[in-house]
Amino acid sequence: MCGIVAYIGKKDAYPIIIKGLKRLEYRGYDSAGVALFNGDLNVYKKKGKVNDLVSFVKGKNLSGNVGIGHTRWATHGEPNDINAHPHTSDDGRLTIIHNGIIENYATLKEALIKEGHTFTSDTDTEVLVHLIGALQDKDNLELEEAVRIALSQVVGAYAIVVLDRNDPTKLVAARKASPLVLGIGQDEFFLASDATPLVGYTSQVVYLNDEEIAVVSNDGTFEIKTIDNEIQTPFIQLLNMNIEKLEKGNYEHFMLKEIYEQPNTIADCMRGRVNAAAGWLKMGGIEEQEERIFNAKRFIMAACGTSWHAALIGEYLFEELARIPVEVEYASELRYRNPIINKDDVVIALSQSGETADTMAALELAKDKGALIYGIVNSVGSSISRITDSGSYIHAGPEIGVASTKAFTGQVTALTLMAIYMGYKRGTIPKSYYHQLLEGLEKIPAKVKEALECDKQVKELAKKFINTNHTLYLGRGYNFPIALEGALKLKEISYIHAEGYPAAEMKHGPIALIDENMPVVVIATNKSAYEKIVSNIQEVKARKGIVIAIVTKGDEEISKIADYTIEIPDTEEPFTPLLSVIPLQLLSYHIALARGCNVDQPRNLAKSVTVE
Ligand code: M6R
C-alpha cells in the first residue's frame, strides 16, 4: 500500500512524478504529495486523490529536476493534509516518502521527543525522517550513512526515498519488505513502488532487494549497498511493459477493460504451454523442480482475498485431476499459527501483485521449514516471484482496477494447467481424457468471449438490485469458490453486504435470511450435483427469495424456477470457474456503477496490501 515515485536528472521532475503517482494510485488514494527542489525545497500535499493534488498546486512553483512523490493508503493517522507524505525533518532539511510501517515508531518517537524534536503528524514515517536528521546532525554524517544507521534501528517494513535540501544532487532510497524499483535512464534515475511509472522513460531496471540502499546522483552515477555497508553489483533487467496496458483505452474503467481482456489474458497464460494438436502440455516451473514436486506428500496453497479463492479452485483441481492432497490457507493465518510444514511439502503462493505482506511472510516461514516454495504470480519481478524456488507467471499484464478479475482467471488457468500436467504424469488422468482436456482448454478463450456477451443482459438486471442491502451467493463443487468470489466482488466495489456459501450449507443457517427481498445468486451449471443445486434453488424459491441463476447454455429446467437466468457456454467441468465467474464480475461492476461507486478505486481499499 502507498505508492512512491522519485526522479533525479535533467528533466522537470513534477510531470514525471505526477504521471507515476497516477499509475500507482491503485496502491492507495487517501492523500498525495510531492517535494521538488529548485534552489529551495517546495513541498505540496493534499488529502484525496492525485487529481486533488494537481488542482491544489495550480499556479505554484513546480520547477525542479529532482523530486519525490507519494500516494497514500492510511495506516498511522487519518487521511488528511498533515498526515500526507512527504514528511520533513525538524529544520525542513530532509524530506521523505515511505511505503510500509515502522513498527517501533512509538519508542523511537518518545526518545526523539526527549531530545527536543517536535512532530506535526500522527504518522510513523515522520519518526523516521526525524531520526535520520538527528543522526545526520549529531555526527555530521553523509545522508546515506545517516539513513543506513537509522534503518538499522528500525523494526518494520519500508521503501523510502530521502531528499536532502543541502545536497539535492542525489537521492537516497532503501527497502525492506516493501517493493522498490530503480529505473536507469540517460543521466537520470527513477525510483518507484513498481515499474509502471518508468514505462515510457526507460526499460532498464533494478529491483532492489531487502535491506539494500541505493544512492542515485544527477551526474548519472549510482551505487547500491546493503544495510551492512557492503557494495552490491546491481542486476540490471530489461522491462517488458507497454503503455497501452497501463491505460484505459476506450473503456470507462480499468475494471471493465480488464474483464474484457480475459479471452486474451487466458490465452496468454496458456501460450507456449499447451498444444492440443501435438498432444502436449508443459509447465516450465514444475519441470525445474520436477523431482521435489512429484515426490511431494502434500501441497499447501497460501494466499489472500481473491487469490485465496483461486487457491480453493486449485484444491478441487489438484485433488480431482492429480490426486494430490491439498490444503488451502489464508496466508495471514498460516504465518502465525505455528503450522506443521515439512521438507516434502510444496507451498504454493498465489498473488497478483507478488507483494502481499502476509503471503510473503507465509512463504518465508515455509522456506525456513524446508518446503519447496512455488509462486503463481502476475507481477513480473515482484518480491514473491523473486523468493520462490520456482513458479509460473500468469501473464495477465498489469491489473489496475482494485477488484481483481483477469488475475483471478489467470491464476485459475495456471492451476488448471498444473493439475492436468501433474495428473497426466502421475497417471491419474487417462490418455483420452487428457486429450479431451487439452482440446477443451484451447477453446476456453473463445468461450470466455461468448460468456461476455451476457453484458447487456447483466447491465439491465443490475438496475433491479441497486438498492439491495444483502445478497447471497451459492455454488457447489468448482462453483463454491466462485460463489465466494462473486460475493467479494460485489461487496468490495458496491458496498453491498454479500456472502458466498456452499449451496448445501444454506440450510444450516443462512436460509433464515431468505425472504422476498433477498437476492440469491446461484451458480448452477449443468454438471455433477446438478439435481442437488436444482433442489437448493427450490428451497430458496419456497421462501420467496429472488433467484438469479448462472446456468449452462440451453438449460431449460432452471429457467422455469429461477427469476432470472444468465447462460454461459458448456465446457469440461474443471474449466467451469473460468466461465461462471464472468457474469458475476459484470454483475458487481454494473451494480456498483449504477450506485455511483468508484469502481476502480473503492473506498478503504488498496490493490497491493503490503502491510499486515
Ligand atoms: O496481490 P494479491 O493477489 O496477493 O492480493 C490479494 C488480495 O489483496 C486481493 O485479491 C484482494 O482481495 C482484491 N481486492 C480482490 O478483488
Side-chain angles (χ1 to χ4, degrees):
M1 350 223 25
C2 298
I4 64 176
V5 190
Y7 173 81
I8 188 164
K10 308 280 180 270
K11 299 190 180 100
D12 269 346
Y14 175 75
I16 296 170
I17 292 171
I18 288 294
K19 202 163 159 200
L21 289 180
K22 286 187 177 166
R23 287 189 186 158
L24 290 181
E25 217 170 7
Y26 72 85
R27 302 177 66 88
Y29 29 82
D30 288 332
S31 64
V34 287
L36 303 159
F37 185 86
N38 190 8
D40 203 2
L41 191 67
N42 291 310
V43 181
Y44 308 113
K45 40 199 216 172
K46 200 76 204 136
K47 178 182 170 183
K49 307 236 156 88
V50 177
N51 272 338
D52 296 307
L53 174 71
V54 172
S55 312
F56 172 68
V57 299
K58 272 204 181 109
K60 297 194 163 60
N61 179 3
L62 300 173
S63 60
N65 307 127
V66 55
I68 59 181
H70 187 272
T71 178
R72 179 169 188 243
W73 187 84
T75 59
H76 295 58
E78 64 174 275
N80 60 26
D81 294 354
I82 291 174
N83 289 331
H85 297 217
H87 288 285
T88 45
S89 56
D90 279 286
D91 53 3
R93 175 178 166 182
L94 301 182
T95 47
I96 193 171
I97 46 173
H98 169 218
N99 164 215
I101 291 182
I102 307 301
E103 288 171 13
N104 58 338
Y105 82 101
T107 327
L108 294 171
K109 190 170 180 174
E110 212 181 295
L112 286 161
I113 288 172
K114 277 191 190 140
E115 283 173 24
H117 291 258
T118 13
F119 288 84
T120 51
S121 78
D122 304 318
T123 65
D124 51 331
T125 305
E126 197 188 353
V127 174
L128 189 52
V129 73
H130 280 250
L131 180 64
I132 298 168
L135 289 162
Q136 201 183 23
D137 290 346
K138 203 162 124 205
D139 295 321
N140 200 18
L141 296 176
E142 285 282 323
L143 177 61
E144 51 269 41
E145 187 56 7
V147 167
R148 198 180 69 76
I149 297 171
L151 293 179
S152 64
Q153 297 178 20
V154 151
V155 178
Y158 53 79
I160 55 165
V161 184
V162 189
L163 168 60
D164 183 348
R165 193 179 56 190
N166 292 4
D167 184 6
T169 63
K170 67 182 177 194
L171 290 170
V172 177
R175 72 152 277 186
K176 184 183 176 190
S178 290
L180 192 56
V181 187
L182 167 65
I184 304 166
Q186 189 66 44
D187 292 338
E188 61 182 359
F189 296 99
F190 307 80
L191 288 147
S193 298
D194 73 26
T196 57
L198 282 45
V199 175
Y201 298 108
T202 181
S203 52
Q204 298 212 53
V205 297
V206 177
Y207 292 94
L208 292 184
N209 293 313
D210 269 355
E211 303 201 324
E212 280 184 349
I213 300 172
V215 182
V216 295
S217 305
N218 66 358
D219 62 3
T221 59
F222 76 105
E223 186 178 66
I224 298 176
K225 277 185 185 173
T226 64
I227 201 168
D228 299 322
N229 224 357
E230 281 169 23
I231 293 180
Q232 302 295 293
T233 310
F235 174 46
I236 301 176
Q237 303 185 44
L238 271 189
L239 191 63
N240 181 13
M241 224 183 245
N242 62 39
I243 282 183
E244 293 85 79
K245 293 206 167 153
L246 302 174
E247 287 170 358
K248 279 190 274 207
N250 294 327
Y251 289 92
E252 206 183 328
H253 297 100
F254 279 109
M255 182 180 176
L256 191 63
K257 176 183 178 230
E258 287 156 8
I259 290 174
Y260 270 88
E261 278 177 343
Q262 291 174 108
N264 293 333
T265 51
I266 292 174
D268 288 345
C269 184
M270 294 198 284
R271 199 175 313 286
R273 289 172 171 159
V274 187
N275 187 330
W280 56 253
L281 189 160
K282 292 185 205 161
M283 286 305 280
I286 301 184
E287 284 161 23
E288 264 174 39
Q289 292 287 345
E290 195 142 301
E291 210 189 310
R292 284 191 73 184
I293 290 178
F294 279 96
N295 290 325
K297 295 269 178 305
R298 177 177 68 146
F299 280 63
I300 299 171
M301 297 191 190
C304 304
T306 285
S307 298
W308 185 81
H309 298 156
L312 276 183
I313 296 172
E315 179 181 21
Y316 284 77
L317 288 164
F318 279 36
E319 295 202 344
E320 183 187 337
L321 299 175
R323 308 302 299 151
I324 301 170
V326 176
E327 285 169 27
V328 178
E329 299 271 359
Y330 284 114
S332 53
E333 289 297 314
L334 183 70
R335 64 181 289 194
Y336 285 122
R337 68 169 176 77
N338 193 14
I340 299 166
I341 299 177
N342 300 312
K343 291 191 171 50
D344 48 15
D345 289 329
V346 174
V347 176
I348 301 183
L350 292 104
S351 178
Q352 186 288 126
S353 61
E355 301 293 348
T356 301
D358 284 322
T359 311
M360 256 310 263
L363 268 191
E364 275 160 2
L365 176 89
K367 196 175 189 139
D368 285 350
K369 290 182 181 279
L372 179 92
I373 58 172
Y374 195 98
I376 298 182
V377 171
N378 189 32
S379 191
V380 176
S382 56
S383 303
I384 292 178
S385 69
R386 286 183 297 131
I387 70 157
T388 42
D389 297 309
S390 187
S392 307
Y393 279 121
I394 61 171
H395 301 300
E399 190 181 65
I400 293 166
V402 164
S404 185
T405 53
K406 63 175 181 172
F408 173 75
T409 47
Q411 290 165 336
V412 175
T413 305
L415 289 163
T416 307
L417 299 180
M418 289 172 76
I420 298 174
Y421 179 86
M422 291 190 294
Y424 187 52
K425 285 229 160 183
R426 285 164 64 90
T428 52
I429 299 179
K431 201 169 182 176
S432 58
Y433 187 43
Y434 174 70
H435 288 290
Q436 183 191 331
L437 288 175
L438 296 195
E439 279 164 24
L441 264 179
E442 286 189 342
K443 292 183 188 136
I444 289 295
K447 289 186 180 182
V448 172
K449 202 166 176 191
E450 198 182 326
L452 285 164
E453 286 168 13
C454 69
D455 194 6
K456 258 199 186 142
Q457 183 200 355
V458 172
K459 189 174 176 180
E460 282 309 302
L461 187 62
K463 290 181 188 155
K464 300 183 195 298
F465 297 102
I466 51 175
N467 292 319
T468 191
N469 292 323
H470 309 276
T471 305
L472 207 55
Y473 285 73
L474 304 175
R476 282 173 173 265
Y478 286 107
N479 284 327
F480 158 54
I482 294 301
L484 297 179
E485 176 58 9
L488 178 63
K489 287 289 89 89
L490 187 69
K491 54 191 154 193
E492 72 179 328
I493 60 168
S494 73
Y495 321 137
I496 294 172
H497 169 238
E499 280 191 65
Y501 256 89
E505 276 291 306
M506 178 184 63
K507 54 186 151 321
H508 298 285
I511 199 163
L513 297 167
I514 296 175
D515 62 14
E516 65 279 13
N517 298 316
M518 177 64 110
V520 184
V521 179
V522 189
I523 306 117
T525 49
N526 184 6
K527 285 287 176 320
S528 55
Y530 179 71
E531 277 70 35
K532 308 271 177 221
I533 201 116
V534 171
S535 305
N536 297 137
I537 293 176
Q538 295 284 16
E539 287 155 13
V540 175
K541 282 316 302 171
R543 280 135 192 110
K544 300 193 169 48
I546 310 159
V547 172
I548 303 151
I550 312 299
V551 299
T552 309
K553 198 171 178 179
D555 187 309
E556 286 177 0
E557 193 174 345
I558 292 178
S559 56
K560 288 186 196 132
I561 43 173
D563 297 87
Y564 308 98
T565 51
I566 302 168
E567 292 191 340
I568 58 166
D570 192 16
T571 185
E572 283 67 25
E573 189 162 21
F575 308 152
T576 311
L578 292 168
L579 305 178
S580 56
V581 77
I582 303 291
L584 304 190
Q585 294 172 343
L586 288 167
L587 186 64
S588 61
Y589 171 79
H590 287 299
I591 292 179
L593 202 62
R595 283 165 68 88
C597 301
N598 187 333
V599 174
D600 283 336
Q601 295 176 338
R603 70 184 181 203
N604 304 339
L605 287 170
K607 184 142 190 83
S608 189
V609 185
T610 53
V611 296
E612 285 189 50

